[in-house]
Amino acid sequence: MPGGISHHAKDILFKSLSALYQNQALDVYGLHGLPRIKALLPNEFPSVRADERRADTVFLLEDDSILLLEYESNERFLDNHLKYLDYACRILHTYYQQEKRIRPIRIVVIYTSDVTSAREQLDAGDVFLSSKAVLLGEFNGDAIFHAIEEKVHNGEPLTPEETMKLILVPLMHTRFDRQTMIEKTIELAKAIGDEPKQLHIIAGVLTATDKFIDRSYAEKVKEWIKMNKVFRLLVEELEQEKEEMLKKVMQEKEQAVQRAIQEKEQAVQRVIQEKEQAVQRVMQEKEQAIKQTEKRKAIEIAKNLLDVLPIHEIAKRTGLTVAEVADLAKEMDK
């Protein structure tokens, strides 16, 4: 397909593919014994010339070697392997400039169902290139798709191996044409409940079928990915606003409760103060009443003693002042 995947969507696809392939074994390709995948590497290799070459997929394996994974639907063995030789030279040059060492390179070519046989060696004398061929025409894509489809419709999680196989189904031998199988695979991926795995599979299909997929359909799928991302962001934003609103309501409720408690405490304090003041008034009135009663008694006693004792003696015995006793004597004389 001319043009391939646009640069606009590469960041999403690269991140998704990185998460998909991380720590994956290559057994699904029939490549037993290779180290597990450590990381997905950039697949563009600028050179001193004005052009830029892009491999299909480049991996860093756990033994620090580099895996060049290519997808082909033709039997142009020499043309393709000269292309891989160019990729290998650029990879070696790029990483030698960065690290000052030569990294081992492994080349795996995934052939679609169009190819029934493949050569794995290019012998150019002192220059020798070897690759490993995987013929997807030997895989029953219909059976694999049907088995995975049942699991998806039953809500069962897919294993890593099933995820990888589903990505490659459009390139396997099936009764449908390739574009139809690409669309069926992507629609099935959309039905998967696990959103990250859903995106991983779609990104994997877009990458694996980059040379074969209908361009307009590929653009629609990438728009769907972007729209879903926008929708997820909107949902996250709404959830955040909801959480903030709930937090605000809880804070206001807590503040209202605190105010009510403070008002209640203040009301209780006022009642206590009023009761204390009332008790103090009663005690003062009682003391005054007692004092008045005692004084009346003292006056009565003083009146009775006026004819018996001198004024100063009466004052001493009754607690009245001499002046008060003298006034009583004057009143008695009248």
Side-chain angles (χ1 to χ4, degrees):
M1 183 192 78
I5 296 175
S6 66
H7 287 269
H8 189 66
K10 280 185 182 177
D11 57 341
I12 299 175
L13 297 182
F14 191 86
K15 290 178 183 177
S16 186
L17 288 172
S18 296
L20 172 65
Y21 288 114
Q22 186 79 36
N23 297 320
Q24 289 289 338
L26 297 167
D27 296 345
V28 69
Y29 298 110
L31 301 172
H32 303 285
L34 284 181
R36 296 169 71 90
I37 293 171
K38 186 176 182 180
L40 181 67
L41 299 175
N43 62 344
E44 293 173 346
F45 313 110
S47 71
V48 293
R49 301 193 297 273
D51 65 336
E52 181 181 272
R53 300 301 294 271
R54 179 166 66 88
D56 288 337
T57 316
V58 182
F59 296 109
L60 175 64
L61 303 183
E62 285 187 341
D63 64 351
D64 283 340
S65 64
I66 292 176
L67 171 64
L68 181 61
L69 188 65
E70 289 292 310
Y71 298 92
E72 299 294 353
S73 62
N74 60 72
E75 297 180 356
R76 295 192 296 270
F77 173 80
L78 291 178
D79 291 341
N80 291 335
H81 278 70
L82 287 174
K83 176 179 61 177
Y84 309 151
L85 182 60
D86 187 22
Y87 291 163
C89 289
R90 293 174 186 243
I91 291 173
L92 289 171
H93 181 71
T94 298
Y95 287 98
Y96 181 75
Q97 282 187 321
Q98 295 174 359
E99 306 170 349
K100 299 304 178 188
R101 66 168 175 147
I102 298 297
R103 281 184 179 270
I105 297 177
R106 305 169 189 266
I107 300 175
V108 173
V109 185
I110 309 296
Y111 290 97
T112 66
S113 57
D114 306 283
V115 180
T116 57
S117 64
R119 293 167 56 188
E120 295 183 320
Q121 293 180 344
L122 172 63
D123 189 349
D126 287 342
V127 177
F128 182 83
L129 187 69
S130 176
S131 65
K132 295 184 185 302
V134 177
L135 299 177
L136 293 182
E138 298 176 353
F139 290 74
N140 187 338
D142 291 327
I144 292 172
F145 183 85
H146 179 69
I148 295 175
E149 185 180 35
E150 280 194 349
K151 290 193 70 174
V152 171
H153 290 166
N154 291 332
E156 300 176 32
L158 300 183
T159 66
E161 183 178 355
E162 289 169 333
T163 300
M164 298 287 289
K165 283 184 177 179
L166 182 58
I167 289 172
L168 296 177
V169 160
L171 306 182
M172 296 178 183
H173 176 71
T174 73
R175 67 182 186 276
F176 299 100
D177 63 84
R178 183 160 296 124
Q179 181 60 33
T180 300
M181 207 62 210
I182 289 172
E183 295 178 14
K184 285 173 64 66
T185 302
I186 289 179
E187 289 305 310
L188 180 60
K190 290 180 181 179
I192 295 174
D194 185 338
E195 189 178 23
K197 182 163 288 188
Q198 176 190 96
L199 184 58
H200 296 341
I201 293 172
I202 294 174
V205 172
L206 288 177
T207 302
T209 63
D210 185 29
K211 296 176 180 176
F212 324 110
I213 192 171
D214 177 75
R215 184 177 181 82
S216 61
Y217 177 74
E219 291 301 323
K220 288 180 182 178
V221 173
K222 285 176 280 184
E223 284 300 318
W224 181 86
I225 291 174
K226 286 186 287 185
M227 287 303 295
N228 269 20
K229 187 175 182 181
V230 171
F231 178 74
R232 288 195 300 273
L233 291 174
L234 287 174
V235 170
E236 290 173 3
E237 186 176 339
L238 289 173
E239 288 295 327
Q240 186 176 359
E241 289 180 0
K242 181 180 177 182
E243 186 177 345
E244 290 176 355
M245 187 177 295
L246 180 61
K247 187 177 180 180
K248 184 178 180 181
V249 169
M250 293 300 295
Q251 288 177 343
E252 291 177 352
K253 186 176 181 181
E254 186 176 350
Q255 291 173 354
V257 170
Q258 291 295 331
R259 286 196 299 271
I261 292 174
Q262 290 175 354
E263 290 174 358
K264 186 175 181 180
E265 289 178 350
Q266 292 173 354
V268 170
Q269 289 296 327
R270 285 197 298 270
V271 170
I272 293 174
Q273 289 176 354
E274 290 173 357
K275 286 185 177 180
E276 288 179 349
Q277 291 173 354
V279 170
Q280 288 177 354
R281 285 196 299 271
V282 170
M283 292 298 294
Q284 290 174 354
E285 291 173 357
K286 186 175 180 180
E287 288 179 0
Q288 290 176 355
I290 292 172
K291 288 180 179 179
Q292 289 175 356
T293 300
E294 291 177 347
K295 190 163 186 178
R296 283 197 296 271
K297 289 182 179 180
I299 290 172
E300 291 299 322
I301 293 171
K303 286 179 179 180
N304 293 328
L305 293 176
L306 283 173
D307 294 334
V308 179
L309 297 173
I311 290 175
H312 66 278
E313 186 64 25
I314 295 172
K316 182 177 177 181
R317 292 191 179 189
T318 59
L320 298 175
T321 64
V322 173
E324 288 176 333
V325 176
D327 290 339
L328 285 175
K330 289 179 182 178
E331 289 180 3
M332 294 293 291
D333 289 340
K334 291 179 181 180

